[in-house]
Amino acid sequence: MYIRGDDAELAVGGRLDVRSAADARTALHSAVDDGVGDLVLDLSELDSWDATGLGVIMGAHRRAGRCGRRLVLRGVPPQMQRLLVATRLHRILAIEGGIGVESLPRV
C-alpha cells in the first residue's frame, strides 16, 4: 500500500488491509489534522480493502468531521462501490460524483 499527496488530496494505491492499516491511519490523520477544507482521497489505484481498511476510512471521515473538514472519496473502484452500497456507507461518506446504485452489477 502507498499513500502520496498532501493535506488537501491523497492518492491511495495497493491494498488497504490489516497489514497496512496502521500506516494508512497515521497518514490520513496527519493530513486531516494539518489541512483545511475538503480532503480528497483518490482511490482509483486501490486494488482492494478489507474491513480494517474500511474502518480506517471511516475513522478518517469521523476525524475530519471533528476538525470541521470533509473527507471526499474520488475514483472508488466498482467492487468497492458495491461494498459501500451493501453496508449503506455510501449514504454517509461523501463520494465525488456519487454512486449510481442502479448501474452497479449484481453479485
Side-chain angles (χ1 to χ4, degrees), residues 30-48:
S30 292
V32 167
D33 294 344
D34 294 343
V36 295
D38 287 353
L39 172 59
V40 176
L41 195 58
D42 187 339
L43 303 177
S44 58
E45 297 177 27
L46 193 62
D47 297 327
S48 65

Side-chain angles (χ1 to χ4, degrees), residues 4-101:
R4 65 176 179 257
D6 55 28
D7 57 19
E9 184 172 336
L10 293 172
V12 181
R15 297 178 57 149
L16 182 55
D17 57 18
V18 69
R19 288 172 290 197
S20 59
D23 292 336
R25 186 177 299 110
T26 300
L28 289 173
H29 287 189
S30 292
V32 167
D33 294 344
D34 294 343
V36 295
D38 287 353
L39 172 59
V40 176
L41 195 58
D42 187 339
L43 303 177
S44 58
E45 297 177 27
L46 193 62
D47 297 327
S48 65
W49 63 16
D50 65 5
T52 307
L54 186 55
V56 169
I57 300 283
M58 290 306 299
H61 165 77
R62 285 189 301 274
R63 188 178 190 107
R66 287 192 304 268
C67 292
R69 298 187 73 186
R70 187 173 69 134
L71 183 70
V72 179
L73 303 183
R74 173 186 291 161
V76 181
Q79 69 272 21
M80 289 166 225
Q81 288 182 20
R82 285 191 294 275
L83 179 61
L84 291 176
V85 170
T87 58
R88 298 186 186 261
L89 291 174
H90 72 291
R91 296 178 177 188
I92 297 168
L93 295 167
I95 302 168
E96 191 174 83
I99 292 181
V101 176

